Amino acid sequence: MFDFSIVTKWFDDLLRITCGLSDFWTILIECIVVGVLILLAYATLAIVLIFMERKVCAYFQCRLGPMRVGPWGLLQVFADVFKMLIKEIFGMDKSDKLLYYLAPFLVIVASVGTFSFLPWNKGALVLDFNVGVFLITAISSIGIIGIFMAGWGSNNKYSVVSAMRGAVQMISYEISLGLCLIAAVVLTGTMQVSGIVDAQTGPWNWLIIKGHVPAIIAFLVFLIAGNAEANRGPFDLAEAESELTAGYHTEYSGMGFGFYYLAEYLNLFVISGIATTVFLGGWAPINIGIEGFDGLMNLIPGVVWFLGKVFVVVWLLMWIRWTFPRLRIDQILKLEWKYLMPLALLNLVLVTVCVAFGLHF
């Protein structure tokens, strides 16, 4: 399989040796290039996901979805972005201006920061620390602060109630997410993202296969908790229009609202990407131990494998959203504290026993 580190080493040598730049300028240019690429990928995937959501929703409701703006409605998302960009941004009277304007940036920073940990291909990891799993959970938690600040800073009682609901929901489901990630760390023996993927490279080595029942349970719990963490249906009570108008971003217009809208869709991709990385082998291809078949699969670039798996999980989560009705707040918290978290704890014990006695593949 192609190792992207060849490209990164070539670019580093180009700056250091060919151009004769010092370490400071080399690192600065590399950081700028990587940052621009991350933001471009972030924006591009947001456009794809919004269009995909509309088409999937239309399919499940026997409708056509966007059709008029551009061929097959492909330009509809660009029209929406243009509309948001030209809309006036204004604050509320007696609102906390600092919190009000800072909140959307915290949400988008948390989303982009978590997005940066995704492993796109072998050798194509932006952030790859030896405690990568811990940092993913830490950075993603910043978004909770942004949501609560949005409600508190808006000077709107409905926004405050919605922000409190959103915060307690996200904090609750992060416990199950963390327990599922710990189970994967126990099975692979590392917290480094690249190490987790490397441990799943080879014939029948994906975690949901070689970890058998405990890994499958962790994967399913992770998807449910991740759906709630991303504030997706049927867990989108935080912005239930029937009782809390537009939720914690009621008082936001223009790109203030756009940042929340953008982060929600990219958080869907991030949750699917983490699930793919931890349980479905990341960029690792399908290998079954037959040399000819495995050789053919290895010719497909890792980024294709990664994106293919991620969009399968994304489609699964969209299927769930447009199938189940929205839950009440008591049902959401009951599901987490009475069922998912105890199940994740028992599963973690089961994983530890399996690893300790060598019962996993």
Side-chain angles (χ1 to χ4, degrees), residues 218-273:
F219 177 63
L220 295 176
V221 172
F222 186 90
L223 288 185
I224 297 171
N227 215 22
E229 180 74 11
N231 194 29
R232 303 272 303 171
F235 302 98
D236 56 342
L237 183 66
E239 53 186 51
E241 297 88 349
S242 59
E243 50 185 311
L244 294 171
T245 61
Y248 50 82
H249 46 56
T250 298
E251 307 297 353
Y252 284 90
S253 64
M255 285 310 295
F257 168 78
F259 280 171
Y260 288 104
Y261 191 65
L262 186 65
E264 178 180 329
Y265 280 97
L266 263 296
N267 287 341
L268 171 64
F269 184 87
V270 167
I271 289 295
S272 302

Side-chain angles (χ1 to χ4, degrees), residues 267-323:
N267 287 341
L268 171 64
F269 184 87
V270 167
I271 289 295
S272 302
I274 295 173
T276 297
T277 300
V278 174
F279 298 102
L280 302 179
W283 67 70
I286 297 175
N287 290 151
I288 60 175
I290 300 176
E291 185 176 350
F293 178 83
D294 292 350
L296 182 62
M297 294 296 102
N298 290 338
L299 292 176
I300 302 175
V303 65
V304 175
W305 280 109
F306 179 73
L307 288 175
K309 296 174 190 177
V310 170
F311 276 103
V312 168
V313 178
V314 166
W315 187 86
L316 179 62
L317 294 179
M318 288 183 178
W319 183 6
I320 292 172
R321 173 176 185 175
W322 298 108
T323 301

Side-chain angles (χ1 to χ4, degrees), residues 112-132:
V112 174
T114 314
F115 180 78
S116 302
F117 276 92
L118 297 180
W120 300 92
N121 196 91
K122 184 175 178 61
L125 285 85
V126 178
L127 301 174
D128 188 29
F129 299 99
N130 59 349
V131 288

Side-chain angles (χ1 to χ4, degrees), residues 31-354:
C31 288
I32 293 174
V33 170
V34 170
V36 170
L37 290 176
I38 289 175
L39 293 177
L40 284 175
Y42 192 89
T44 303
L45 286 169
I47 292 170
V48 172
L49 288 167
I50 293 171
F51 183 78
M52 179 181 174
E53 175 87 272
R54 288 172 169 173
K55 286 295 186 180
V56 170
C57 166
Y59 174 78
F60 278 106
Q61 298 178 355
C62 298
R63 297 184 293 109
L64 295 177
M67 292 292 291
R68 296 182 180 276
V69 185
W72 306 290
L74 290 173
L75 299 180
Q76 182 64 57
V77 179
F78 295 96
D80 294 338
V81 171
F82 180 71
K83 180 182 73 173
M84 285 186 184
L85 288 172
I86 63 176
K87 288 187 73 173
E88 180 184 3
I89 300 176
F90 53 88
M92 300 296 102
D93 292 338
K94 299 182 181 179
S95 64
D96 190 319
K97 295 296 192 294
L98 176 61
L99 300 184
Y100 179 84
Y101 288 112
L102 183 60
F105 290 99
L106 286 180
V107 171
I108 209 73
V109 164
S111 181
V112 174
T114 314
F115 180 78
S116 302
F117 276 92
L118 297 180
W120 300 92
N121 196 91
K122 184 175 178 61
L125 285 85
V126 178
L127 301 174
D128 188 29
F129 299 99
N130 59 349
V131 288
V133 171
F134 172 76
L135 287 175
I136 287 174
T137 57
I139 294 175
S140 64
S141 300
I142 298 175
I144 301 175
I145 303 174
I147 286 175
F148 190 76
M149 285 170 56
W152 187 264
S154 294
N155 190 31
N156 181 325
K157 61 182 178 182
Y158 297 105
S159 296
V160 174
V161 172
S162 178
M164 293 175 67
R165 283 184 174 184
V168 73
Q169 173 181 319
M170 294 177 73
I171 292 171
S172 299
Y173 279 89
E174 274 195 349
I175 298 174
S176 292
L177 280 176
L179 291 172
C180 293
L181 291 177
I182 293 173
V185 169
V186 172
L187 283 169
T188 57
T190 179
M191 293 182 69
Q192 193 165 358
V193 175
S194 61
I196 292 175
V197 178
D198 288 338
Q200 301 178 75
T201 304
W204 306 109
N205 253 7
W206 292 3
L207 209 59
I208 59 169
I209 299 175
K210 73 175 184 179
H212 50 86
V213 176
I216 294 173
I217 294 174
F219 177 63
L220 295 176
V221 172
F222 186 90
L223 288 185
I224 297 171
N227 215 22
E229 180 74 11
N231 194 29
R232 303 272 303 171
F235 302 98
D236 56 342
L237 183 66
E239 53 186 51
E241 297 88 349
S242 59
E243 50 185 311
L244 294 171
T245 61
Y248 50 82
H249 46 56
T250 298
E251 307 297 353
Y252 284 90
S253 64
M255 285 310 295
F257 168 78
F259 280 171
Y260 288 104
Y261 191 65
L262 186 65
E264 178 180 329
Y265 280 97
L266 263 296
N267 287 341
L268 171 64
F269 184 87
V270 167
I271 289 295
S272 302
I274 295 173
T276 297
T277 300
V278 174
F279 298 102
L280 302 179
W283 67 70
I286 297 175
N287 290 151
I288 60 175
I290 300 176
E291 185 176 350
F293 178 83
D294 292 350
L296 182 62
M297 294 296 102
N298 290 338
L299 292 176
I300 302 175
V303 65
V304 175
W305 280 109
F306 179 73
L307 288 175
K309 296 174 190 177
V310 170
F311 276 103
V312 168
V313 178
V314 166
W315 187 86
L316 179 62
L317 294 179
M318 288 183 178
W319 183 6
I320 292 172
R321 173 176 185 175
W322 298 108
T323 301
F324 294 98
R326 178 181 285 148
L327 300 175
R328 298 195 311 264
I329 184 64
D330 61 310
Q331 294 171 328
I332 290 175
L333 297 181
K334 181 180 179 180
L335 175 63
E336 165 61 12
W337 290 103
K338 292 187 69 173
Y339 299 103
L340 287 188
M341 190 185 71
L343 177 60
L345 283 170
L346 290 174
N347 189 59
L348 181 58
V349 174
L350 181 60
V351 167
T352 306
V353 171
C354 289

